Coordinates of all heavy atoms in Angstrom, one line a residue:
M46 N -24.8 -65.8 -72.8 CA -24.1 -66.9 -72.2 C -25.0 -68.1 -72.6 O -26.1 -68.1 -72.8 CB -24.1 -66.9 -70.7 CG -23.5 -68.2 -70.1 SD -23.1 -68.1 -68.4 CE -24.3 -67.1 -67.6
C47 N -24.2 -69.3 -72.8 CA -25.0 -70.6 -73.2 C -24.5 -71.7 -72.4 O -23.4 -71.7 -71.8 CB -24.8 -70.8 -74.8 SG -23.0 -70.8 -75.2
G48 N -25.3 -72.7 -72.3 CA -24.8 -74.0 -71.9 C -25.7 -74.4 -70.6 O -26.4 -73.6 -70.1
P49 N -25.3 -75.5 -70.1 CA -25.9 -76.1 -68.9 C -25.4 -75.5 -67.6 O -24.5 -74.6 -67.6 CB -25.6 -77.6 -69.0 CG -24.3 -77.5 -69.6 CD -24.3 -76.4 -70.7
E50 N -25.9 -76.0 -66.5 CA -25.4 -75.5 -65.2 C -23.9 -76.1 -65.0 O -23.7 -77.2 -65.5 CB -26.2 -76.0 -64.1 CG -27.6 -75.4 -64.1 CD -27.5 -73.9 -63.8 OE1 -26.7 -73.4 -63.1 OE2 -28.3 -73.2 -64.6
G51 N -23.0 -75.3 -64.5 CA -21.6 -75.7 -64.3 C -20.8 -74.5 -63.8 O -21.2 -73.7 -63.1
H52 N -19.7 -74.5 -64.5 CA -18.7 -73.3 -64.1 C -18.7 -72.3 -65.2 O -18.6 -72.7 -66.4 CB -17.4 -73.9 -63.8 CG -17.3 -74.8 -62.7 ND1 -17.5 -74.5 -61.4 CD2 -17.1 -76.2 -62.6 CE1 -17.5 -75.5 -60.5 NE2 -17.3 -76.7 -61.4
R53 N -18.7 -71.0 -64.8 CA -18.7 -69.9 -65.8 C -17.1 -69.8 -66.3 O -16.2 -69.8 -65.5 CB -19.1 -68.7 -65.3 CG -19.1 -67.5 -66.2 CD -19.5 -66.2 -65.6 NE -20.8 -66.3 -65.0 CZ -21.9 -66.0 -65.7 NH1 -21.9 -65.6 -66.8 NH2 -23.1 -66.2 -65.1
V54 N -17.1 -69.8 -67.7 CA -15.8 -69.6 -68.2 C -15.7 -68.2 -69.0 O -16.6 -68.0 -69.9 CB -15.3 -70.7 -69.2 CG1 -14.0 -70.4 -69.9 CG2 -15.3 -72.1 -68.5
L55 N -14.9 -67.3 -68.6 CA -14.8 -66.1 -69.3 C -13.5 -66.0 -70.2 O -12.4 -66.3 -69.9 CB -14.7 -64.9 -68.3 CG -14.3 -63.5 -68.8 CD1 -15.5 -63.0 -69.5 CD2 -14.0 -62.6 -67.7
V56 N -13.8 -65.6 -71.5 CA -12.8 -65.5 -72.5 C -12.4 -64.0 -72.5 O -13.1 -63.1 -72.9 CB -13.1 -65.9 -73.9 CG1 -12.1 -65.7 -74.9 CG2 -13.6 -67.4 -73.9
T57 N -11.2 -63.7 -71.9 CA -10.8 -62.3 -71.6 C -10.6 -61.6 -72.9 O -10.7 -60.3 -73.0 CB -9.6 -62.2 -70.7 OG1 -8.5 -62.8 -71.3 CG2 -9.9 -62.8 -69.3
D58 N -10.2 -62.3 -74.0 CA -10.0 -61.6 -75.3 C -11.2 -60.8 -75.8 O -11.0 -59.8 -76.4 CB -9.6 -62.6 -76.4 CG -8.5 -63.5 -76.0 OD1 -8.7 -64.4 -75.2 OD2 -7.3 -63.2 -76.4
T59 N -12.4 -61.4 -75.5 CA -13.6 -60.7 -75.9 C -14.6 -60.3 -74.9 O -15.6 -59.6 -75.2 CB -14.3 -61.6 -77.0 OG1 -14.8 -62.8 -76.2 CG2 -13.4 -62.0 -78.1
G60 N -14.4 -60.8 -73.8 CA -15.4 -60.6 -72.6 C -16.5 -61.6 -72.7 O -17.5 -61.4 -71.9
E61 N -16.6 -62.5 -73.6 CA -17.7 -63.4 -73.7 C -17.5 -64.5 -72.6 O -16.4 -64.9 -72.2 CB -17.7 -64.2 -75.1 CG -18.1 -63.1 -76.2 CD -17.8 -63.9 -77.5 OE1 -18.7 -64.7 -77.9 OE2 -16.8 -63.6 -78.2
S62 N -18.6 -64.9 -72.1 CA -18.6 -66.1 -71.2 C -19.6 -67.1 -71.5 O -20.5 -66.9 -72.3 CB -18.9 -65.5 -69.8 OG -20.2 -65.1 -69.6
F63 N -19.3 -68.3 -71.0 CA -20.2 -69.4 -71.2 C -20.1 -70.4 -70.1 O -19.2 -70.2 -69.2 CB -19.8 -70.1 -72.4 CG -18.4 -70.6 -72.5 CD1 -18.1 -72.0 -72.0 CD2 -17.3 -69.9 -72.9 CE1 -16.8 -72.3 -72.0 CE2 -16.0 -70.2 -73.0 CZ -15.8 -71.6 -72.5
V64 N -21.0 -71.2 -69.9 CA -21.1 -72.2 -68.8 C -20.6 -73.5 -69.3 O -21.0 -74.0 -70.4 CB -22.4 -72.3 -68.1 CG1 -22.5 -73.4 -67.2 CG2 -22.9 -71.0 -67.6
C65 N -19.7 -74.1 -68.6 CA -19.1 -75.5 -68.9 C -19.7 -76.5 -68.0 O -19.6 -76.2 -66.8 CB -17.6 -75.4 -68.8 SG -16.8 -76.8 -69.5
G66 N -20.3 -77.5 -68.5 CA -20.9 -78.5 -67.6 C -19.8 -79.2 -66.7 O -18.6 -79.1 -67.0
E67 N -20.4 -79.8 -65.7 CA -19.5 -80.4 -64.6 C -18.5 -81.3 -65.1 O -17.3 -81.3 -64.7 CB -20.3 -81.0 -63.6 CG -21.2 -80.2 -62.7 CD -20.4 -79.2 -61.9 OE1 -19.3 -79.6 -61.3 OE2 -20.8 -78.1 -61.6
A68 N -18.7 -82.1 -66.2 CA -17.7 -83.0 -66.7 C -17.3 -82.7 -68.0 O -16.7 -83.5 -68.9 CB -18.3 -84.5 -66.7
E69 N -17.6 -81.4 -68.6 CA -17.3 -81.1 -70.0 C -16.0 -80.4 -70.2 O -15.6 -79.6 -69.3 CB -18.5 -80.1 -70.3 CG -18.4 -79.8 -71.8 CD -19.6 -78.8 -72.1 OE1 -20.2 -78.1 -71.3 OE2 -20.1 -78.9 -73.3
T70 N -15.4 -80.7 -71.2 CA -14.1 -79.9 -71.4 C -14.4 -78.5 -71.9 O -15.5 -78.2 -72.3 CB -13.2 -80.5 -72.5 OG1 -13.9 -80.4 -73.8 CG2 -12.9 -82.0 -72.3
A71 N -13.5 -77.6 -71.6 CA -13.7 -76.2 -72.0 C -13.8 -76.1 -73.5 O -14.7 -75.3 -73.9 CB -12.4 -75.4 -71.5
L72 N -13.2 -76.9 -74.3 CA -13.4 -76.9 -75.9 C -14.8 -77.2 -76.2 O -15.4 -76.5 -77.1 CB -12.3 -77.7 -76.6 CG -12.4 -77.6 -78.1 CD1 -12.2 -76.2 -78.6 CD2 -11.4 -78.6 -78.7
N73 N -15.2 -78.2 -75.7 CA -16.6 -78.7 -76.0 C -17.6 -77.5 -75.7 O -18.5 -77.4 -76.5 CB -17.1 -80.0 -75.3 CG -16.3 -81.2 -75.9 OD1 -15.8 -81.2 -77.0 ND2 -16.3 -82.3 -75.2
A74 N -17.4 -77.0 -74.6 CA -18.3 -75.8 -74.2 C -18.2 -74.7 -75.2 O -19.1 -74.0 -75.7 CB -18.2 -75.4 -72.8
L75 N -16.9 -74.4 -75.6 CA -16.7 -73.4 -76.5 C -17.4 -73.6 -77.9 O -18.1 -72.7 -78.4 CB -15.2 -73.2 -76.8 CG -14.3 -72.4 -75.7 CD1 -12.9 -72.7 -76.0 CD2 -14.6 -70.9 -75.8
A76 N -17.2 -74.8 -78.4 CA -17.8 -75.3 -79.7 C -19.3 -75.1 -79.7 O -20.0 -74.8 -80.5 CB -17.3 -76.5 -80.1
R77 N -19.9 -75.7 -78.4 CA -21.3 -75.7 -78.3 C -22.0 -74.3 -78.3 O -23.1 -74.1 -78.8 CB -21.7 -76.4 -77.0 CG -23.1 -76.6 -76.7 CD -23.4 -77.4 -75.5 NE -22.6 -77.2 -74.3 CZ -22.4 -76.1 -73.6 NH1 -23.2 -75.1 -73.7 NH2 -21.6 -76.1 -72.6
C78 N -21.2 -73.3 -78.0 CA -21.8 -72.0 -77.9 C -22.0 -71.3 -79.3 O -22.5 -70.2 -79.3 CB -20.8 -71.1 -77.0 SG -21.1 -71.5 -75.3
G79 N -21.4 -71.9 -80.3 CA -21.8 -71.5 -81.6 C -20.9 -70.4 -82.3 O -21.2 -69.8 -83.4
R80 N -19.9 -70.1 -81.8 CA -19.0 -69.2 -82.4 C -18.4 -69.8 -83.6 O -18.0 -70.8 -83.6 CB -17.8 -68.7 -81.6 CG -17.0 -67.6 -82.2 CD -15.9 -67.1 -81.2 NE -16.3 -65.9 -80.6 CZ -16.1 -64.7 -81.0 NH1 -15.5 -64.6 -82.3 NH2 -16.5 -63.6 -80.4
R81 N -18.6 -69.1 -84.8 CA -18.2 -69.6 -86.1 C -16.6 -69.7 -86.2 O -15.9 -68.9 -85.7 CB -18.7 -68.8 -87.1 CG -20.2 -68.6 -87.2 CD -20.7 -67.9 -88.3 NE -21.1 -68.8 -89.4 CZ -21.5 -68.4 -90.5 NH1 -21.6 -67.1 -90.8 NH2 -21.9 -69.2 -91.4
G82 N -16.2 -70.8 -86.7 CA -14.8 -71.0 -87.1 C -14.0 -71.6 -85.9 O -12.8 -71.6 -86.2
I83 N -14.5 -72.0 -84.9 CA -13.7 -72.6 -83.8 C -13.1 -73.9 -84.3 O -13.9 -74.9 -84.6 CB -14.4 -72.9 -82.5 CG1 -14.9 -71.5 -81.9 CG2 -13.7 -73.6 -81.6 CD1 -15.7 -71.6 -80.7
P84 N -11.8 -74.0 -84.4 CA -11.3 -75.3 -84.8 C -11.3 -76.2 -83.7 O -10.7 -75.8 -82.6 CB -9.8 -74.8 -85.3 CG -9.5 -73.6 -84.5 CD -10.8 -72.9 -84.2
V85 N -11.8 -77.4 -83.9 CA -11.8 -78.4 -82.8 C -10.8 -79.4 -82.9 O -10.5 -80.2 -81.9 CB -13.3 -78.9 -82.6 CG1 -14.1 -77.9 -82.2 CG2 -13.8 -79.6 -83.8
G86 N -10.1 -79.6 -84.0 CA -9.1 -80.5 -84.1 C -9.4 -81.9 -83.7 O -10.5 -82.4 -83.9
C87 N -8.5 -82.5 -83.0 CA -8.6 -83.8 -82.6 C -9.4 -84.1 -81.2 O -9.8 -85.3 -81.0 CB -7.2 -84.5 -82.4 SG -6.3 -83.7 -80.9
R88 N -9.6 -83.0 -80.5 CA -10.3 -83.2 -79.2 C -9.7 -84.0 -78.2 O -10.3 -84.4 -77.3 CB -11.8 -83.5 -79.4 CG -12.6 -82.5 -80.1 CD -14.0 -82.9 -80.2 NE -14.7 -82.0 -81.0 CZ -15.6 -81.2 -80.6 NH1 -16.0 -81.1 -79.3 NH2 -16.4 -80.4 -81.4
G89 N -8.3 -84.4 -78.5 CA -7.8 -85.4 -77.6 C -6.3 -84.9 -77.1 O -5.6 -85.7 -76.5
G90 N -6.0 -83.6 -77.4 CA -4.8 -83.2 -76.9 C -3.5 -83.3 -77.9 O -2.2 -83.1 -77.5
G91 N -3.8 -83.8 -79.1 CA -2.6 -84.1 -80.0 C -2.3 -83.1 -81.0 O -1.3 -83.1 -81.6
C92 N -3.4 -82.3 -81.3 CA -3.1 -81.3 -82.5 C -2.7 -79.9 -82.1 O -2.0 -79.2 -82.8 CB -4.2 -81.3 -83.4 SG -5.7 -80.3 -82.7
G93 N -3.1 -79.5 -80.9 CA -2.7 -78.2 -80.3 C -3.4 -77.0 -80.8 O -3.0 -75.8 -80.4
V94 N -4.4 -77.1 -81.6 CA -5.1 -75.9 -82.1 C -5.9 -75.1 -81.0 O -6.2 -74.0 -81.2 CB -6.1 -76.2 -83.2 CG1 -5.4 -76.9 -84.4 CG2 -7.3 -77.0 -82.8
C95 N -6.2 -75.7 -79.9 CA -7.1 -75.0 -78.9 C -6.3 -74.6 -77.8 O -6.8 -74.5 -76.6 CB -8.1 -76.0 -78.5 SG -7.5 -77.5 -77.7
K96 N -5.1 -74.2 -77.9 CA -4.2 -73.7 -76.7 C -4.8 -72.5 -76.1 O -5.0 -71.5 -76.9 CB -2.8 -73.5 -77.2 CG -1.8 -73.5 -76.1 CD -0.4 -73.5 -76.6 CE 0.6 -73.6 -75.4 NZ 1.9 -73.7 -76.0
V97 N -4.9 -72.4 -74.8 CA -5.3 -71.3 -74.1 C -4.5 -71.2 -72.9 O -3.7 -72.0 -72.5 CB -6.8 -71.5 -73.5 CG1 -7.8 -71.5 -74.7 CG2 -6.9 -72.7 -72.6
Q98 N -4.5 -69.9 -72.2 CA -3.8 -69.7 -71.0 C -4.8 -69.5 -69.9 O -5.7 -68.5 -70.1 CB -2.8 -68.5 -71.1 CG -2.1 -68.4 -69.7 CD -1.0 -67.4 -69.7 OE1 -1.0 -66.4 -70.6 NE2 0.0 -67.5 -68.9
V99 N -4.9 -70.3 -68.9 CA -5.8 -70.0 -67.8 C -5.3 -69.0 -66.9 O -4.1 -69.2 -66.3 CB -6.2 -71.4 -67.1 CG1 -7.1 -71.1 -65.9 CG2 -6.7 -72.4 -68.0
L100 N -5.9 -67.9 -66.8 CA -5.5 -66.8 -66.0 C -6.0 -66.8 -64.5 O -5.4 -66.3 -63.7 CB -6.0 -65.5 -66.7 CG -5.6 -65.2 -68.2 CD1 -6.3 -64.0 -68.6 CD2 -4.0 -65.1 -68.2
Q101 N -7.1 -67.4 -64.3 CA -7.7 -67.5 -63.0 C -8.6 -68.8 -63.0 O -9.4 -69.2 -63.9 CB -8.5 -66.4 -62.7 CG -9.1 -66.2 -61.2 CD -9.6 -64.8 -61.0 OE1 -10.1 -64.1 -61.8 NE2 -9.6 -64.5 -59.6
G102 N -8.5 -69.5 -61.9 CA -9.4 -70.7 -61.7 C -8.7 -71.9 -61.6 O -7.6 -72.1 -61.9
Q103 N -9.4 -73.0 -61.2 CA -8.8 -74.3 -61.1 C -9.5 -75.2 -62.2 O -10.8 -75.1 -62.4 CB -9.2 -74.8 -59.8 CG -8.5 -74.1 -58.5 CD -7.1 -74.0 -58.6 OE1 -6.4 -75.0 -58.8 NE2 -6.5 -72.8 -58.5
Y104 N -8.7 -76.2 -62.6 CA -9.3 -77.1 -63.6 C -8.5 -78.5 -63.4 O -7.4 -78.5 -62.8 CB -8.9 -76.6 -65.0 CG -7.5 -76.2 -65.3 CD1 -6.6 -77.2 -65.8 CD2 -7.1 -75.0 -65.1 CE1 -5.3 -76.8 -65.9 CE2 -5.8 -74.6 -65.2 CZ -4.9 -75.5 -65.7 OH -3.5 -75.2 -65.9
Q105 N -9.1 -79.4 -63.9 CA -8.5 -80.8 -64.0 C -8.0 -80.9 -65.4 O -8.8 -80.7 -66.4 CB -9.5 -81.9 -63.6 CG -8.9 -83.3 -63.6 CD -10.0 -84.3 -63.1 OE1 -11.1 -84.0 -63.0 NE2 -9.6 -85.6 -63.0
A106 N -6.8 -81.5 -65.6 CA -6.1 -81.6 -66.9 C -5.9 -83.1 -67.2 O -5.5 -83.8 -66.3 CB -4.9 -80.8 -66.9
R107 N -6.3 -83.4 -68.4 CA -5.8 -84.7 -69.0 C -4.4 -84.6 -69.7 O -4.0 -83.5 -69.9 CB -6.8 -85.2 -70.1 CG -8.2 -85.4 -69.6 CD -9.1 -86.1 -70.6 NE -8.8 -85.7 -72.0 CZ -9.7 -85.3 -72.8 NH1 -11.0 -85.2 -72.4 NH2 -9.4 -84.8 -74.1
P108 N -3.7 -85.7 -70.0 CA -2.5 -85.6 -70.6 C -2.6 -84.8 -71.9 O -3.7 -85.0 -72.6 CB -2.1 -87.0 -70.8 CG -2.9 -87.8 -69.7 CD -4.2 -87.1 -69.6
M109 N -1.5 -84.1 -72.2 CA -1.5 -83.3 -73.5 C -0.1 -83.6 -74.2 O 0.8 -83.9 -73.5 CB -1.6 -81.9 -73.2 CG -2.8 -81.4 -72.6 SD -2.7 -79.7 -72.0 CE -3.0 -80.0 -70.3
S110 N -0.1 -83.5 -75.5 CA 1.1 -83.7 -76.3 C 2.2 -82.7 -75.9 O 1.9 -81.5 -75.9 CB 0.8 -83.6 -77.8 OG 2.0 -83.5 -78.5
R111 N 3.4 -83.2 -75.6 CA 4.5 -82.3 -75.2 C 5.0 -81.6 -76.4 O 5.7 -80.6 -76.3 CB 5.7 -83.1 -74.5 CG 5.4 -83.5 -73.1 CD 5.2 -82.3 -72.2 NE 4.9 -82.7 -70.8 CZ 4.1 -82.0 -70.1 NH1 3.5 -81.0 -70.5 NH2 3.8 -82.4 -68.9
S112 N 4.6 -81.9 -77.6 CA 5.0 -81.1 -78.8 C 4.1 -79.9 -78.9 O 4.5 -78.9 -79.6 CB 4.8 -82.0 -80.1 OG 3.5 -82.4 -80.3
H113 N 3.1 -79.8 -78.2 CA 2.2 -78.6 -78.1 C 2.2 -77.9 -76.9 O 2.0 -76.7 -76.8 CB 0.8 -78.9 -78.6 CG 0.7 -79.6 -79.9 ND1 1.1 -78.9 -81.1 CD2 0.3 -80.9 -80.4 CE1 0.8 -79.7 -82.1 NE2 0.5 -80.8 -81.6
V114 N 2.4 -78.6 -75.8 CA 2.4 -78.0 -74.4 C 3.6 -78.6 -73.7 O 3.6 -79.7 -73.2 CB 1.0 -78.4 -73.6 CG1 1.0 -77.8 -72.2 CG2 -0.1 -77.9 -74.4
S115 N 4.6 -77.6 -73.5 CA 5.7 -78.1 -72.7 C 5.5 -78.1 -71.3 O 4.4 -77.6 -70.8 CB 7.0 -77.2 -73.0 OG 6.7 -75.8 -72.4
E116 N 6.4 -78.6 -70.3 CA 6.2 -78.7 -69.0 C 6.2 -77.2 -68.5 O 5.5 -76.8 -67.7 CB 7.3 -79.4 -68.3 CG 7.2 -80.9 -68.5 CD 8.4 -81.6 -67.9 OE1 9.0 -81.1 -66.9 OE2 8.6 -82.8 -68.3
D117 N 7.0 -76.3 -69.1 CA 7.0 -74.8 -68.8 C 5.7 -74.2 -69.1 O 5.1 -73.4 -68.3 CB 8.2 -74.1 -69.5 CG 9.5 -74.4 -68.8 OD1 9.6 -74.9 -67.7 OD2 10.5 -74.1 -69.5
D118 N 5.1 -74.5 -70.3 CA 3.8 -74.0 -70.7 C 2.8 -74.4 -69.7 O 2.0 -73.6 -69.1 CB 3.3 -74.6 -72.0 CG 4.0 -74.1 -73.2 OD1 4.6 -73.0 -73.1 OD2 4.0 -74.7 -74.2
E119 N 2.8 -75.8 -69.3 CA 1.7 -76.3 -68.4 C 1.9 -75.6 -67.0 O 0.9 -75.3 -66.3 CB 1.9 -77.8 -68.2 CG 0.7 -78.4 -67.7 CD 0.5 -79.9 -67.8 OE1 1.5 -80.5 -68.4 OE2 -0.4 -80.5 -67.3
A120 N 3.2 -75.3 -66.6 CA 3.5 -74.7 -65.3 C 2.9 -73.3 -65.3 O 2.5 -72.7 -64.2 CB 4.9 -74.7 -65.0
S121 N 2.9 -72.6 -66.5 CA 2.4 -71.3 -66.5 C 0.9 -71.2 -67.0 O 0.3 -70.3 -67.4 CB 3.2 -70.3 -67.4 OG 3.1 -70.8 -68.8
H122 N 0.2 -72.5 -66.8 CA -1.2 -72.6 -67.1 C -1.6 -72.4 -68.6 O -2.7 -72.0 -68.9 CB -2.1 -71.7 -66.3 CG -1.8 -72.0 -64.8 ND1 -2.1 -73.0 -64.0 CD2 -1.1 -71.2 -64.0 CE1 -1.9 -73.0 -62.8 NE2 -1.0 -71.8 -62.7
Q123 N -0.6 -72.7 -69.5 CA -0.9 -72.8 -70.9 C -1.2 -74.1 -71.3 O -0.3 -75.1 -71.2 CB 0.3 -72.2 -71.7 CG 0.6 -70.8 -71.5 CD 1.8 -70.2 -72.3 OE1 2.0 -70.7 -73.4 NE2 2.5 -69.3 -71.7
V124 N -2.4 -74.4 -71.6 CA -2.9 -75.8 -71.7 C -3.9 -75.8 -73.0 O -4.1 -74.8 -73.6 CB -3.7 -76.2 -70.5 CG1 -2.8 -76.3 -69.2 CG2 -4.8 -75.2 -70.2
L125 N -4.3 -77.1 -73.3 CA -5.2 -77.3 -74.4 C -6.5 -77.3 -73.9 O -7.0 -78.1 -72.9 CB -4.8 -78.5 -75.2 CG -3.5 -78.6 -75.7 CD1 -3.1 -79.9 -76.4 CD2 -3.2 -77.5 -76.6
A126 N -7.5 -76.5 -74.4 CA -8.9 -76.4 -74.0 C -9.6 -77.8 -74.0 O -10.6 -78.0 -73.2 CB -9.7 -75.3 -74.7
C127 N -9.2 -78.7 -75.0 CA -9.8 -80.0 -75.1 C -9.4 -80.9 -73.9 O -10.0 -82.0 -73.8 CB -9.4 -80.5 -76.4 SG -7.6 -81.1 -76.6
C128 N -8.4 -80.5 -73.2 CA -7.9 -81.3 -72.1 C -8.2 -80.8 -70.7 O -7.6 -81.4 -69.8 CB -6.4 -81.6 -72.4 SG -6.0 -82.6 -73.8
I129 N -8.9 -79.8 -70.6 CA -9.2 -79.3 -69.3 C -10.7 -79.3 -68.9 O -11.5 -79.0 -69.9 CB -8.7 -78.0 -69.0 CG1 -9.2 -76.8 -70.0 CG2 -7.1 -77.9 -69.1 CD1 -8.9 -75.4 -69.6
V130 N -11.1 -79.7 -67.8 CA -12.4 -79.7 -67.2 C -12.4 -78.8 -66.1 O -11.7 -79.0 -65.1 CB -12.9 -81.1 -66.8 CG1 -14.3 -80.9 -66.1 CG2 -12.9 -82.0 -68.0
P131 N -13.1 -77.6 -66.2 CA -13.1 -76.6 -65.1 C -13.7 -77.3 -63.8 O -14.6 -77.9 -63.7 CB -14.1 -75.5 -65.6 CG -14.0 -75.6 -67.1 CD -13.9 -77.1 -67.3
Q132 N -12.9 -76.9 -62.7 CA -13.3 -77.3 -61.3 C -14.0 -76.1 -60.6 O -14.7 -76.2 -59.6 CB -12.2 -77.9 -60.6 CG -11.6 -79.0 -61.2 CD -12.5 -80.2 -61.4 OE1 -12.8 -80.8 -60.5 NE2 -12.8 -80.5 -62.6
T133 N -13.6 -74.9 -61.0 CA -14.2 -73.6 -60.6 C -14.4 -72.7 -61.7 O -14.1 -73.1 -62.9 CB -13.2 -72.9 -59.7 OG1 -12.0 -72.4 -60.4 CG2 -12.8 -73.7 -58.5
D134 N -15.0 -71.5 -61.5 CA -15.1 -70.5 -62.7 C -13.7 -70.3 -63.3 O -12.7 -70.3 -62.4 CB -15.7 -69.3 -62.2 CG -17.2 -69.4 -61.9 OD1 -17.8 -70.5 -62.1 OD2 -17.7 -68.5 -61.3
L135 N -13.5 -70.0 -64.5 CA -12.2 -69.7 -65.1 C -12.2 -68.5 -65.9 O -13.3 -68.1 -66.4 CB -11.9 -70.9 -66.1 CG -11.6 -72.3 -65.7 CD1 -11.3 -73.2 -66.9 CD2 -10.6 -72.4 -64.6
Q136 N -11.1 -67.9 -66.0 CA -10.8 -66.8 -66.9 C -9.6 -67.4 -67.8 O -8.8 -67.8 -67.3 CB -10.4 -65.5 -66.2 CG -11.5 -64.8 -65.5 CD -11.1 -63.5 -65.0 OE1 -10.0 -63.0 -65.3 NE2 -11.7 -63.0 -63.9
L137 N -9.8 -67.2 -69.1 CA -8.8 -67.6 -69.9 C -8.5 -66.7 -71.1 O -9.4 -65.9 -71.4 CB -9.1 -69.1 -70.5 CG -10.4 -69.3 -71.2 CD1 -10.2 -69.1 -72.7 CD2 -10.6 -70.9 -71.1
R138 N -7.3 -66.9 -71.8 CA -7.0 -66.2 -72.8 C -6.6 -67.0 -74.0 O -5.9 -68.1 -73.7 CB -5.8 -65.2 -72.4 CG -5.2 -64.4 -73.6 CD -4.1 -63.4 -73.1 NE -2.9 -64.2 -72.5 CZ -1.9 -64.4 -73.2 NH1 -1.7 -64.1 -74.5 NH2 -0.9 -65.2 -72.7
V139 N -7.1 -66.9 -75.1 CA -6.8 -67.8 -76.2 C -5.5 -67.4 -76.8 O -5.2 -66.3 -77.2 CB -7.9 -67.7 -77.3 CG1 -7.7 -68.5 -78.5 CG2 -9.3 -68.0 -76.7
I140 N -4.6 -68.4 -76.9 CA -3.3 -68.2 -77.5 C -2.9 -69.1 -78.6 O -1.9 -68.9 -79.2 CB -2.1 -68.3 -76.3 CG1 -2.2 -69.7 -75.7 CG2 -2.3 -67.2 -75.3 CD1 -1.1 -70.0 -74.6
G141 N -3.8 -70.2 -78.9 CA -3.4 -71.0 -80.0 C -3.9 -70.6 -81.3 O -4.2 -69.4 -81.5
R142 N -4.0 -71.5 -82.2 CA -4.5 -71.2 -83.6 C -5.8 -70.7 -83.7 O -6.2 -70.1 -84.6 CB -4.1 -72.4 -84.5 CG -2.8 -72.6 -84.8 CD -2.5 -73.7 -85.7 NE -2.4 -74.9 -84.9 CZ -2.2 -76.2 -85.4 NH1 -2.3 -76.4 -86.6 NH2 -1.9 -77.1 -84.6
M143 N -6.7 -71.0 -82.6 CA -8.0 -70.5 -82.7 C -8.1 -68.9 -82.2 O -9.2 -68.4 -82.2 CB -9.0 -71.3 -81.9 CG -8.9 -71.3 -80.4 SD -10.3 -72.5 -79.8 CE -9.9 -72.2 -78.0
R144 N -7.0 -68.3 -81.9 CA -7.0 -67.0 -81.5 C -7.6 -66.0 -82.5 O -8.3 -65.2 -82.2 CB -5.5 -66.5 -81.2 CG -5.5 -65.0 -80.7 CD -4.1 -64.7 -80.0 NE -4.1 -63.4 -79.6 CZ -4.7 -62.7 -78.7 NH1 -5.6 -63.5 -78.0 NH2 -4.6 -61.5 -78.4
K145 N -7.3 -66.3 -83.8 CA -7.9 -65.6 -84.9 C -9.4 -65.6 -84.8 O -10.0 -64.4 -85.1 CB -7.4 -66.2 -86.2 CG -7.9 -65.5 -87.5 CD -7.3 -66.0 -88.8 CE -6.9 -67.5 -88.7 NZ -6.5 -67.9 -90.1
V146 N -10.0 -66.7 -84.6 CA -11.4 -66.8 -84.4 C -11.9 -65.7 -83.3 O -13.0 -65.1 -83.4 CB -11.9 -68.1 -84.1 CG1 -13.4 -68.2 -83.8 CG2 -11.6 -69.0 -85.3
W147 N -11.3 -65.6 -82.2 CA -11.8 -64.8 -81.1 C -11.5 -63.4 -81.2 O -11.9 -62.5 -80.5 CB -11.1 -65.4 -79.8 CG -11.7 -66.7 -79.4 CD1 -11.3 -68.0 -79.7 CD2 -13.0 -66.8 -78.7 NE1 -12.2 -68.9 -79.4 CE2 -13.3 -68.2 -78.7 CE3 -14.0 -66.0 -78.2 CZ2 -14.4 -68.8 -78.2 CZ3 -15.1 -66.5 -77.7 CH2 -15.3 -67.9 -77.6
Q148 N -10.6 -63.1 -82.2 CA -10.4 -61.7 -82.6 C -11.4 -61.1 -83.5 O -11.6 -59.8 -83.6 CB -9.0 -61.5 -83.3 CG -7.9 -61.7 -82.2 CD -6.5 -61.7 -82.7 OE1 -6.3 -62.0 -83.9 NE2 -5.5 -61.4 -81.9
A149 N -12.1 -62.0 -84.1 CA -13.3 -61.5 -85.0 C -14.6 -61.3 -84.2 O -14.7 -61.9 -83.2 CB -13.5 -62.5 -86.1
P150 N -15.4 -60.4 -84.7 CA -16.7 -60.2 -84.0 C -17.4 -61.5 -84.0 O -17.4 -62.3 -84.9 CB -17.4 -59.2 -84.9 CG -16.4 -58.5 -85.8 CD -15.2 -59.6 -85.9
A151 N -18.2 -61.7 -82.9 CA -19.0 -62.9 -82.8 C -20.2 -63.0 -83.8 O -20.7 -62.0 -84.3 CB -19.6 -63.0 -81.4

């Protein structure tokens, strides 16, 4: 596990976990942890490369592009990692274009 004190985020695809700082987006914490090839894109919700599904836990979400996250997606907790700040421990599944990175060995 890497990172400062905060909320633990578990990526169910691989079983890897990391700590996301109190005001840090999930994507920033993922990128900080050093997994090679994580596409970080725009970091503002406009490109959609960091789409994840939150399976468990609470988060605060910033606005996301509706071209990448529909209202139905958001209702089923499919969001952009760059636009969520965990409020509790989270479990997530990678579903966006960075899924390929999480299927490869760390």
